[in-house]
Each structure stands twice: as C-alpha cells, then as structure tokens.
C-alpha cells in the first residue's frame, strides 16, 4: 500500500517533463498508478469480504504512539475503487479535453495525479495523524487545481475560498483527533472502532471538532458555500474532486468513525440535522441555476447531505444504504460532470438558455447522459434505484430516525428528480423558437470515460448482489438486526417503492412548473454564498485593521514594556495567590565563585550605562558587552558549549546591528523625559527580579528526578563526552530539525521583505556562482567591475579589493582579514567534528564560519563577500536543511522511525580506528544551514547599507568644496539637540531613505 501511494507522487514529479514531450497524451502514462491501485484493490476483494483486512504499519513517532499505518477493509476498498477508478478515467479524459498548447498543463497534471495519491492515502490510513496529513494534502492540492486558471480573478477567489473553509475545518478536526486519541489511548482507527472510548465531556467536544472538519470538507450546510465556487476549475477537476473523491472525504470520515462515536451525545443530532438541511437547500438552489456545472454542483451539495445523513445515522440498514449510495453517486455524478465538459467543448457554452438541439447533434453523448441521469433520479434498473430503495427502507425503520428524516429524504428526492430533468432538458433538448446550437463532433476516446462510468451504473443495478457482500461487511460493525435487509434490485411492491414513485411524480411536476418555481425562488432567495464569504472576509479585515491600529503604535519600547508588565503582573498574581515561599524552598545561593558576582556586576553596569548614552553606536557596543558578559557567566559556571554559542551569536548580532546603524542618525532622537526613563527602569528591574524569583522557586519546587542524569548516562554508554551536543543531534533532534526549518524560513522572509519593501533589488553580484552561467572557480577568479578599479593598488590582499572606494579601505584590516579567514574556517570545521567529546557542534561551527565570512565583508564590502563564498547564500541554507531532513527520513527505511541513528566503525591503514554516525551528518546539515543564514543576513543587510552609502558618495569635485560644507549627494551633518554648533564632534552621514 505504501508503494502504491508513493508511486503516485513519484510519477507526479515527472508529469511536467512528460507533458512537455508528449503533450496531453502524457495523461495516458499518468493514469497507470491509479489503474494499478484499482486492480490491486479488486484482487483483494475476496479477503476483505471474508473479514480479513490487509494491514501495513510501522512506527513513526513511537513516544506518542503514532504509526504510519494503512488498512484495506470494506469501507476503504469501496473508497479506493472510487478514488483510483474514477481517477484513472478522469486522467484518460484529459487526453481529449486539453489542447496541445495548453498553458501550465504540466504542473496541472502533476497536481491532479498527486491529488489521486493523497486521496488514496487518506482512505487507506489507519492512523488519525496520518489521515490528517493526507487530508490537508488534498486541501492544498485542491486549492492549486481550482486555481488552475490563475489569471482569472474568479478562479483565484474560488480557490482561496475553498482553501479557507476546508483548512479551518481541518485544523479543528485535528484537535478533535488528538482528544480522541488521548481518550482511547491509541491513534489507530481500527482499534478505536473495536474498543470505543468511554463517554465524557472531552469526547463530546472532540466529536464536535471532528464533525467541523467533515462538514467543511464535504460542503455540508452551513459550510457548503465553497463547492459551487469551485466550479471555476476545469471540468476534470470538478468531476474528480467535487463529485467522486474530495467531497466524499468528509462523508468517509463520518462513516469510518460512526461505529465508534455514533453513541456520543451530540453526534446524531448534528449529523442528521445538518444532513437534512443540506439535502433540501442544495436541491432548491439547483433548480434556480442556468449553468450546467452549477446545477450539478448544487445537486452534489444536496446529495452529500443525503450521504452524510445515512453515514452518520449509526444503524445497520443506514450503513448498508450509505455504502450503496456512495458508489451510486460517484457512478452517476462523475459522468454527468464529464459530459458537461464535452458539451462545453463542443458547443462553446454551458448556459442552458443558449443550448438547443445538442442531443440530436450528439446522440451518443445525450444517451450516456440520460443513463446517468436516470440513475440519479433513482429509476430502475439502475444502481441509483437500488441504493435509494435501501435508503428509504433504512429511514422507514424505527431505529434509524424519526418521521422528519423520512419526509426530508422524500422532498430531497423530489428536488433531485426536478433538477435532473432540468439539466437533461437544458443540455440536450431542442427549445421552441431557438435555432440549434452549432457543435462539432466528439471522438470516441472523449466519450469513453463517462460512458464506462454510466455503464457501471447500468450493470450494477441488476448486479447489486455482487457488491452486497462488501457493503454488508462494513455494516456488520453495527448491531445486525434479526432480519437484516439485503441489497437487491427488486423487493416487490412496498412503502419504499411507493415513496420512490411519489418522488418521481412530484419531481416531474416541479420540472413542468419550472418557470413559476424559478420566479418563486428568486423572491425568497437567501444571499449568495459568494456575497456571504466576501462580507465575512471584509469584516475580518476591517476588524483586524482597527485592532492593529489600536495596539500596534509603532513604538518598540512600548511593546517591550507591555510584555514586561504583563509578565510581571502575572508572576506577582501567582506569588500572591499561591505564596510559594511558604513551601520551604531552599536557601538562595548567590554564587558558586566570587568571579560570578564580579562578571554579573559588570554586566549589569553595562546594561545601566545604556540608559545614559546618546550615541546609537555606543548603545550597540554596551548592549553587546552585556551579551558577552552573559557568555562569561556561562564560562565561569562551567558551560563552555553555551558560552561558545553566546559568543558567536553576540558577535554576529553586533555586526548586523552596526550595519543597520550605518543608515540611522548618529545620535538618538528627542531625549525621553526623565519620568518615562525612570518608569522603564523600574519596570525592567521589577520584571527581572520577578523572573529570577520565579526561577529560584521553580527549581526549589522540583519533585521529580532531573532528566539530565539519564542523558549523561546514555551519552556515556555510546563512548561520548559532550552531553549538550549529543542532546541536540540525537536525543532532541526533532527540536533541532524544527528549529532549523524555522530559521531557514525566517531568514528567507526577512531578507525578502528587506529587498522588496526598501525598493532595492537583490544584487546579482558578479563573482557569485549561479547554475548555467559559469563555474565557481572562474567566478572567483574574475573581480567584479567597479569604478574604483583604477584607484586600487596593483597588489590587493582581497579578491574584490578594487570594488571598494580607496578612501574607505584599510590595508591593515585587509591583511588581517586575509590571514585569519582560513584559520577561522578551519576552527569552525574543528568545532563541528570535535563535538562528540569537546565543546562545539554544528550550530557553533556555523556561527564561527559565518564570522569568518563577516570579516571578509567588513574588509571589502558586499563584492568581497560574494567573491569569498562563490555560492549563493540560499545554496548553503537549502543544502543544510535538505541534508538534515534526508538523514531524518532515512531512519524510516533503516531503523523504522524518523531520526533513527546508526553508526559505522572501521580501521584504516594510515588513520587507524575510525567512527562515523548519522548524528555527525545531521550536524553537518546544521552547520551549513547556520553558515548560510549568517551569510544571507550579512549579504542582505550589507547590500542595503552599502547601496545607500554608494548612493551618497561624494561626486567628482567634492574635494574642492569648502571644509564643513557637504557636496551634492555627499550627505548632511547631524548633531544632537542641545549641543553646540557643528565642530569636531559633527559627523557626515548618508541621507536617510524612506
């Protein structure tokens, strides 16, 4: 099963080149994975019907009981037949539907096949967490497929609407999954169904949350607004996602969990009420549509309400009817959508008011549509009739529901008959007084997929007994009545047949009276779903703008003060309510050695001096000294790993801060009033004191054994000494991997915003290696062109020394930068590979490598930085993240779990004994990522600062300007308020940019 799911995604990656080479005919090859999945599922039918489901599982997150588990039972076999069978036919249909020159057809093909794989994984998943992952994957892929025609505003809006509704419901559902797994003690769906959790308030809340996801996915009222808008997608997407596959995911989830959760208090009232409301409202809206796809879309909403009602009823007969209806709905609704595409393709329109005589021009198309329409109206001898009879019998049974459910089902059937007749009449009939619509002929390959699906409805009506065993196996999860209902095409004359006949007659009458019905519908119509969605989004935007304007004043000190005030007040409230000092905490120990007190006092002094300085650069240096003081405290306290990390982070942060200060005035702005400064000082001291007391009390209140002892022992068992590095790359590697991904995303977002919002372009600096242009060696050998090349000395210590204004160069600094660059890089590699037994690690090594590159930048500017690296910063970030992720996923194949570690030992003739482990490779990925992050940060902020400075360089002839008077473009003199006239203390600064 795993191979079948992965095969879809692997071939989806190859879809774009296949389509480029073969055009739409590539869809034939893309249809192979779902076709193989269909064949595999049918070969397993006998085992499943006999009660021997196929299982496949391996541990994923063992500590939480999460497994990558797949299971093929009766219900999942039914859904695999739909997802794979209809998917294969839809892909074959695309061969004739799309033209050879269609734009973006390659990505579309990959997305459609990927959706088929995601849907296959969803219906086979036997773990709630795995099911949720595939659930959200279908959401994302459906967003891309609906927005296929991204140049159209309507398509983009419909895609966003579908994504918003279904993803919000999915998040609520995920919380419900976690609560159900906690209550049941397992996330395996089959075990939850076999041993349902006990009734509780938490379980009732979980049920409501799960139903939110199911209702959103299956377009159940009041969240049905996204499905009609999704008809902006191409017809194959509508036929597959919105008739046979995606919209049935919610129904499938309800059918899957109903045997375990139908007894929980809010389940049946919610499912039955929402299902009945959707059945009636969807059918009523379908009567008012003039677009053929919209008629089918609202009809799909109506039918999904009926399916939800049956799947969630929680009885044997309702479950039996639900299985038959799910299959029948796919076999008549998918071909009708595909035939609508054929009509649109042949006639150029889907508006039934403009169509006339299409049935005579395309008799085979009309014939297939009539067969599918007869099944939708539940006429014998088609599958829809047998399924509708089973549904009526289930609702006539007293254990299935009340009379209002039966009345709702009959009225829904009346509406179904009416809008089906309206669809067939509008698409194929000849209208009086209107000329026949010109159409072109349709090839047999175009008609074959919908014809095969309609043929399935025709054959499975009399052959319903062939599928009865499958549906009965699923329904057997409920208590089986003494005289169980058996699926058959004919049960004789009875109440169910009478209700079907009544629905046919009333539906035909409603179709005959379609004109007054349409006028009545326009008078009592509710606001459209589009207007409701737009109003909701506009209201949220307005509220967010008002709230943001109120709380986001643009003052960083105000934000920090707010955070400190809330934290301090919260801690003081806890102290006052709990009075933890009464619990006999240990006596505070001020220091282990007097050096700690000395370093702490110096650090606090630097922090206090920040309040009195007026120069920004002085404040930056003092703030950096507080960070270095903290690092010294780590050294004195015996934590060299933390000290190394703090030193590296503080160095890079100080450099970045200084780069930013190059674009800011030399002095701070207006001096703050003493009262405000005193308030800030008191708040800062109170917050720090409260936090220190809280940490001290928390340490004294510990009752459990420290976890560090176990980690030290586990590290020693592997012959290692550096516990901190081992924790980061082995014991807590999940945290490290997640933090690496966040770091990569953050630096990409920050630098992207910096270039886009500042109005500067990302500099394509000569000397930077880019694929397909020139080699890295040649890029490093060629210095970048610069107006300062002529003024540069003949011998340069830097690769791009000629790119810097000679007046801003320091030969001493260039010599030092050139001499220390390679030793610092070697030191970073040493820190990387010595981490098993000495202080170091990938994070610290990456920071040190970043410091080496930062030195090259400070000596020669951004051109020198580009020449020193030879690769784009994103290359290091992507390579590091890919390497760490690959090591993590490799554990699935070699150890059975993500991030499972293993090692190799050996002996080499000259080197001797050697040892290597996956943790080292993982740490190399962290090293590359951190190096790339530092490089990207310095490159982006340095380019921002340098380009501003370059724009303010003195123009030619500036040397002849009077002393103390800036030349044009040279900048301006800035002095603080209250100081004397410009004199030796004045500085020339570049103009500030907006």
């Amino acid at each position: 099963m795993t191979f079948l799911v992965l095969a879809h995604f692997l071939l989806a990656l190859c879809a774009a080149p296949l389509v480029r080479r073969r055009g739409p005919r590539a869809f034939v090859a893309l249809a192979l994975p779902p076709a193989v999945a269909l064949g595999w599922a049918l070969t397993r039918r006998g085992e499943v019907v006999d009660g021997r489901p196929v299982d496949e599982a391996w541990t994923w997150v063992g500590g939480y009981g999460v497994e990558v588990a797949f299971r093929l039972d009766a219900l999942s076999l039914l859904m695999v037949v739909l997802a794979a069978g209809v998917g294969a036919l839809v892909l074959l249909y695309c061969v004739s539907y799309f033209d050879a020159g269609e734009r973006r057809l390659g990505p579309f093909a990959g997305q459609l096949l990927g959706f088929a794989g995601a849907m296959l994984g969803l219906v086979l998943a036997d773990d709630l967490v795995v099911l949720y992952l595939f659930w959200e994957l279908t959401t994302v892929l459906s967003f891309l497929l609906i927005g296929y025609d991204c140049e159209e505003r309507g398509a983009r809006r419909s895609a966003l609407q579908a994504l918003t509704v279904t993803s919000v419901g999915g998040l609520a559902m995920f919380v419900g999954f976690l609560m159900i797994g906690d209550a049941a003690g397992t996330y395996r769906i089959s075990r939850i169904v076999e041993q349902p959790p006990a009734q509780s308030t938490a379980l009732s809340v979980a049920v409501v949350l799960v139903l939110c996801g199911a209702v959103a996915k299956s377009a159940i009222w009041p969240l049905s607004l996204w499905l009609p808008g999704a008809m902006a997608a191409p017809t194959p997407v509508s036929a597959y996602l919105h008739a046979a596959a995606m919209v049935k995911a919610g129904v499938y989830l309800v059918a899957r969990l109903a045997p375990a959760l139908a007894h929980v208090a809010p389940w049946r009232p919610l499912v039955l009420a929402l299902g009945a409301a959707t059945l009636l409202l969807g059918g009523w809206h379908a009567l008012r549509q003039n677009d053929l796809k919209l008629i089918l879309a609202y009809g799909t909403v109506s039918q999904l309400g009926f399916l939800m009602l049956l799947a969630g009823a929680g009885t044997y007969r309702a479950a039996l009817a639900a299985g038959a209806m799910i299959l029948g709905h796919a076999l008549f609704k998918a071909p009708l959508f595909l035939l609508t595409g054929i009509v649109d393709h042949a006639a150029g329109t889907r508006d039934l008011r403009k169509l006339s005589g299409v049935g005579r021009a395309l008799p085979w198309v009309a014939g297939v549509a009539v067969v599918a329409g007869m099944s939708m109206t539940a006429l014998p001898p088609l599958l829809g009739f047998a399924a509708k009879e089973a549904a009526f019998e289930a609702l006539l049974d007293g254990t299935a529901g009340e009379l209002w459910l039966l009345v709702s089902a009959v009225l829904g059937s009346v509406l179904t008959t009416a809008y089906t007749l309206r669809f067939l009449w509008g698409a194929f009939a000849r209208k009086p007084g209107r000329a026949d619509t010109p159409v072109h002929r349709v090839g047999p390959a175009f008609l074959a997929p919908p014809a095969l699906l309609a043929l399935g409805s025709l054959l499975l009506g009399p052959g319903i007994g062939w599928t009865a065993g499958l549906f009965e196996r699923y329904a057997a999860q409920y208590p089986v009545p003494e005289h169980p209902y058996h699926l058959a095409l004919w049960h004789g004359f009875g109440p169910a047949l009478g209700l079907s006949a009544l629905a046919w007659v009333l539906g035909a009458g409603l179709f005959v009276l379609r004109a007054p019905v349409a006028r009545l519908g326009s008078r009592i119509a509710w606001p459209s779903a589009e207007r409701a969605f737009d109003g909701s989004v506009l209201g949220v935007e307005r509220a967010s703008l008002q709230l943001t304007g109120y709380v986001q004043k643009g003052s960083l000190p105000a934000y920090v003060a707010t955070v400190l005030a809330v934290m301090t007040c919260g801690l003081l409230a806890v102290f006052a309510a709990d009075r933890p000092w009464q619990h006999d905490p240990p006596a505070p120990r001020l220091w282990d050695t007097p050096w700690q007190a000395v370093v702490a006092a110096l650090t606090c002094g630097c922090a206090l001096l920040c309040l009195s300085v007026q120069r920004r650069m002085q404040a930056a240096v003092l703030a950096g000294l507080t960070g270095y003081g903290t690092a010294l405290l780590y050294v004195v306290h015996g934590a060299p790993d933390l000290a190394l990390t703090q030193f590296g982070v503080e160095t890079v942060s100080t450099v970045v801060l200084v780069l930013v200060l190059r674009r800011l005035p030399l002095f701070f702005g207006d001096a703050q009033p003493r009262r405000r400064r005193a308030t800030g000082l008191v708040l800062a001291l109170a917050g720090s004191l409260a936090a220190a007391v809280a940490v001290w009390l928390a340490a004294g209140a510990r009752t459990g054994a420290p976890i560090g002892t176990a980690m030290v022992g586990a590290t020693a068992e592997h012959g290692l000494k550096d516990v901190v590095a081992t924790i980061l790359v082995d014991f807590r590697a999940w945290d490290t991997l997640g933090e690496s991904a966040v770091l990569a995303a953050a630096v990409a977002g920050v630098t992207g915003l910096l270039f886009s919002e500042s109005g500067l372009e990302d500099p394509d600096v000569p000397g930077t290696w880019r694929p397909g242009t020139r080699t890295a060696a040649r890029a490093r050998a060629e210095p970048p062109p610069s107006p300062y090349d002529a003024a540069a000395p003949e011998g340069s210590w830097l690769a791009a020394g000629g790119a810097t204004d000679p007046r801003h160069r320091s030969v001493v600094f260039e010599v030092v930068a050139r001499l220390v660059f390679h030793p610092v890089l070697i030191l970073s590699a040493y820190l990387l590979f010595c981490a098993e037994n000495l202080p170091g690690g990938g994070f610290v090594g990456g920071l040190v490598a970043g410091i080496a590159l930062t030195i090259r930048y400070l000596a020669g500017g951004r051109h020198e930085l580009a020449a020193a690296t030879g690769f784009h910063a994103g290359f290091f970030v992507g390579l590091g993240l890919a390497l760490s992720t690959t090591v993590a996923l490799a554990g699935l194949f070699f150890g059975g779990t993500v991030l499972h570690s293993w090692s190799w030992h050996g002996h080499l003739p000259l080197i001797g004994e050697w040892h290597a482990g996956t943790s080292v490779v993982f740490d190399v990925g962290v090293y590359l990522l951190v190096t790339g992050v530092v490089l990207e940060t310095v490159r982006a902020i340095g380019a921002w600062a340098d380009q501003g400075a370059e724009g303010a360089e003195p123009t030619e002839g500036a040397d002849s300007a009077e002393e103390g008077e800036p030349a044009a473009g040279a900048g301006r003199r800035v002095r603080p308020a209250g100081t004397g006239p410009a004199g030796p203390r004045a500085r020339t600064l570049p103009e500030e940019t907006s």
Side-chain angles (χ1 to χ4, degrees):
M1 286 182 277
T2 306
F3 173 77
L4 290 175
V5 175
L6 291 178
H8 286 72
F9 295 113
L10 292 176
L11 191 55
L13 296 176
C14 305
L18 278 175
V19 171
R20 281 197 299 268
R21 293 177 63 89
R22 306 296 297 173
R25 289 177 293 177
F27 282 98
V28 177
L30 298 179
L32 291 177
V36 172
L38 173 64
W40 171 82
L42 293 178
T43 59
R44 299 286 184 171
R45 176 183 172 277
E47 300 177 39
V48 172
V49 172
D50 292 339
R52 292 180 286 117
V54 182
D55 289 289
E56 183 178 304
W58 64 84
T59 303
W60 181 15
V61 187
Y64 294 96
V66 179
E67 298 175 297
V68 179
F70 296 108
R71 181 182 177 90
L72 183 71
D73 58 8
L75 182 60
S76 57
L77 176 60
L78 169 63
M79 296 302 297
V80 168
V81 169
L82 298 184
V86 178
L89 291 176
V90 167
L91 287 167
L92 293 176
Y93 175 88
C94 291
V95 176
S96 303
Y97 183 82
F98 290 105
D99 297 329
E102 194 81 28
R103 295 177 57 190
R104 295 184 295 276
L105 188 58
F108 171 84
Q111 293 158 9
L112 188 59
L113 182 58
F115 178 88
M119 194 66 199
L120 183 64
L122 189 154
V123 300
L124 288 174
D126 193 34
D127 185 276
L128 291 175
V129 176
V130 176
L131 187 149
Y132 171 75
L133 292 178
F134 283 110
W135 184 284
E136 289 303 299
L137 189 56
T138 60
T139 298
V140 174
L141 289 172
S142 67
F143 164 76
L144 297 174
L145 291 169
I146 294 172
Y148 166 71
D149 192 3
C150 58
E151 295 178 357
E152 293 292 332
R153 180 176 179 272
R156 298 196 304 270
R157 182 166 155 276
S158 298
L160 181 61
Q161 188 181 77
L163 178 67
T164 302
V165 174
T166 55
S167 60
V168 170
L171 289 175
M173 181 192 72
F174 181 59
V175 177
F177 281 173
L178 297 179
M179 297 174 69
I180 291 175
D182 181 70
T186 179
Y187 291 101
R188 288 291 293 270
I189 300 174
S190 56
R191 296 172 188 168
I192 294 173
V193 173
E194 292 173 1
Q195 297 180 349
Q199 173 75 45
S200 64
T201 304
L203 187 61
S204 299
V205 174
V207 161
V208 175
L209 294 175
V210 170
L211 288 179
C212 286
V215 164
K217 199 76 163 182
S218 286
I220 303 300
W221 187 87
L223 300 180
S224 57
L225 56 96
W226 67 267
L227 182 58
M231 294 303 110
T235 296
V237 175
S238 302
Y240 188 35
L241 275 69
H242 309 131
M246 175 183 168
V247 292
K248 284 196 173 65
V251 175
Y252 165 77
L253 181 63
V254 169
R256 172 62 71 194
L257 297 179
L261 302 178
H263 67 282
V264 180
W267 177 280
R268 292 190 80 252
L270 282 175
V271 171
L272 298 180
L274 294 179
T278 307
L279 170 63
L280 298 178
L281 292 175
W284 177 253
H285 279 291
L287 291 176
R288 300 171 43 226
Q289 306 304 317
N290 295 314
D291 188 300
L292 296 180
K293 281 184 71 173
L294 286 180
I295 294 176
L296 296 178
Y298 281 104
T300 300
V301 171
S302 177
Q303 292 290 323
L304 289 172
F306 197 18
L307 292 175
M308 185 69 73
L309 186 152
L310 293 173
T315 64
Y316 176 86
R317 288 191 176 187
L320 196 65
M325 282 292 294
I326 289 173
L327 178 61
H329 178 265
L331 292 181
F332 63 66
K333 188 58 65 73
L336 288 175
F337 269 110
L338 296 178
L339 292 169
T340 300
I342 292 177
V343 171
D344 188 16
H345 201 276
T349 181
R350 298 193 306 261
D351 193 335
L352 59 82
R353 294 168 297 186
K354 300 178 181 178
L355 294 171
S356 180
V358 176
R360 296 198 176 201
L362 303 174
W364 287 102
V365 175
V368 174
V370 169
V371 172
M374 289 175 58
S375 183
M376 187 159 68
T377 56
L379 286 173
L382 288 103
L383 178 60
F385 170 76
K388 186 66 71 67
E389 289 283 289
F392 283 157
E393 287 289 350
L395 296 177
L396 285 168
D397 184 8
T399 61
E402 295 77 11
L403 179 61
W404 67 273
L405 287 177
L406 182 61
V407 173
S408 300
V410 173
L411 291 178
S413 299
V414 171
L415 295 173
T416 301
T417 301
Y419 66 68
T420 303
L421 293 175
R422 188 166 185 268
F423 171 85
L424 296 174
W425 168 81
F428 302 105
R430 173 174 288 176
K431 280 79 170 180
R434 185 173 301 166
D436 289 355
T437 304
V439 297
H440 63 75
R441 294 294 176 182
V442 176
F446 204 178
L447 184 60
L452 288 175
L453 292 170
L455 182 63
S457 286
L458 182 61
L459 297 179
L460 289 179
I464 187 67
W466 186 80
T467 61
L470 189 67
F471 302 141
E472 291 171 358
R473 172 57 59 184
Y474 162 69
Q477 296 178 98
Y478 299 96
V480 181
E482 184 177 354
H483 301 289
Y485 180 84
H486 295 285
L487 290 173
L489 180 63
W490 179 254
H491 287 89
F493 294 97
L497 182 61
L499 293 175
S500 296
L502 178 64
W504 299 330
V505 173
L506 294 179
L510 201 59
F511 166 71
V512 173
L513 301 174
R514 56 187 176 277
V517 169
R519 288 194 295 269
L520 177 62
S522 62
R523 292 177 183 176
I524 63 174
W526 293 275
S528 64
E530 289 75 13
R531 290 181 59 188
F533 179 78
D534 291 343
S536 301
V537 172
L538 183 60
V540 171
E541 289 180 353
R542 287 178 175 174
S544 64
L545 287 174
Q546 293 176 357
L547 181 62
T548 303
Y550 180 76
V551 300
Q552 298 290 333
K553 302 295 186 181
S555 173
L556 184 58
Y559 301 154
V560 176
T562 302
V563 173
L564 285 177
V566 172
M567 181 197 72
T568 304
C569 293
L571 290 176
L572 292 177
V574 172
F575 293 160
D578 192 39
R579 298 183 178 181
W581 53 82
Q582 297 179 350
H583 301 165
D584 297 328
R589 188 173 54 186
L590 297 180
W591 56 71
D592 295 319
T593 173
W595 286 109
Q596 291 178 334
V598 173
V599 175
L602 292 175
T603 303
C604 294
C606 292
L608 292 174
L609 286 176
C610 290
L611 300 176
S612 60
V613 298
Q614 294 187 7
R615 293 174 179 266
R616 296 180 186 271
M617 193 65 69
Q618 290 177 346
V621 172
L622 289 172
L625 288 177
T626 60
Y628 287 121
T630 305
L632 286 176
L633 281 176
Y634 292 147
V635 172
V636 177
H637 203 68
D641 284 275
L642 295 179
L644 275 173
T645 304
Q646 180 68 20
F647 277 123
V649 170
E650 199 62 45
T651 301
V652 174
S653 301
T654 302
V655 171
V656 170
L657 184 58
V658 170
L659 291 178
V660 174
L661 291 180
R662 293 172 60 187
R663 297 292 299 275
L664 297 177
L666 181 62
F667 294 90
F668 288 107
D670 297 336
Q672 290 186 348
R674 290 186 177 182
R675 184 176 179 181
R676 180 179 297 179
R677 294 170 63 184
T679 303
L681 179 61
V682 171
L683 183 59
L685 293 176
S688 60
L689 181 61
V693 173
V695 172
W696 168 57
L697 292 173
R702 170 181 283 170
T703 57
I707 193 175
T709 304
M711 289 188 173
V712 171
T715 303
E717 287 179 5
H718 292 82
L720 307 177
K721 297 179 181 179
D722 192 340
V723 181
V724 174
T726 305
I727 290 173
L728 291 177
V729 299
D730 199 341
F731 300 150
R732 303 292 296 177
W734 265 114
D735 294 346
T736 304
L737 183 61
E739 291 164 0
S740 300
V742 171
L743 193 61
V747 72
V750 169
T751 54
L753 287 174
L754 181 63
F755 285 118
S756 62
E757 296 298 327
S758 64
L760 299 174
E761 294 183 359
D762 190 351
D764 188 6
V765 180
T768 300
W769 178 83
R770 296 187 184 278
T773 56
R774 53 181 178 174
T775 64
R778 183 181 174 189
R780 288 192 294 269
E782 297 178 5
S786 170
Y788 306 119
D789 281 338
E794 293 183 2
S796 177
W797 284 87
L798 299 177
T804 307
D805 186 349
R807 293 169 294 178
H808 296 167
R809 292 180 61 182
S810 171
V811 177
V812 175
F813 193 16
E814 291 183 7
V815 172
V816 173
R818 183 62 179 267
L819 293 178
V820 304
F821 178 69
H822 296 93
V824 174
L825 285 182
I826 294 173
L827 174 62
S828 70
Y830 171 77
L831 291 173
L832 168 64
F833 291 109
C834 76
E836 290 186 342
N837 297 297
L838 294 173
F843 191 87
V844 177
L847 285 174
V848 174
I851 292 173
L853 295 171
T854 304
I855 293 173
R856 292 288 291 267
Y857 163 76
L858 295 175
R862 56 195 177 101
H863 298 288
E864 175 64 22
L865 181 65
T869 55
F871 291 88
H872 194 276
F875 173 77
F876 292 102
V877 175
L879 180 61
L881 188 60
L883 187 60
S884 298
T885 306
T886 302
V887 172
L889 296 178
L892 281 173
F893 301 96
F894 297 101
T897 59
V898 178
L899 284 169
H900 178 82
S901 61
W902 67 95
S903 60
W904 303 271
H905 303 267
H907 180 81
L908 293 176
L910 297 179
I911 298 177
E913 296 292 334
W914 62 273
H915 164 262
T918 53
S919 59
V920 177
V921 183
F922 182 86
D923 217 15
V924 171
V926 176
Y927 172 89
L928 293 172
L929 184 139
V930 174
T931 303
V933 167
V934 176
L935 176 62
E936 179 73 359
T937 304
V938 175
R939 181 189 71 89
I941 297 181
W944 173 68
D946 289 350
Q947 289 183 17
E950 290 166 4
E953 289 294 345
T955 59
E956 203 174 316
D959 294 334
S960 62
E962 286 187 27
E963 187 178 354
E965 188 173 350
R972 58 187 175 90
R973 297 188 182 275
V974 180
R975 60 184 177 90
T979 62
R985 291 173 56 87
R987 297 290 185 268
T988 301
L989 299 176
E991 291 286 353
E992 293 183 77
T993 59
S994 60

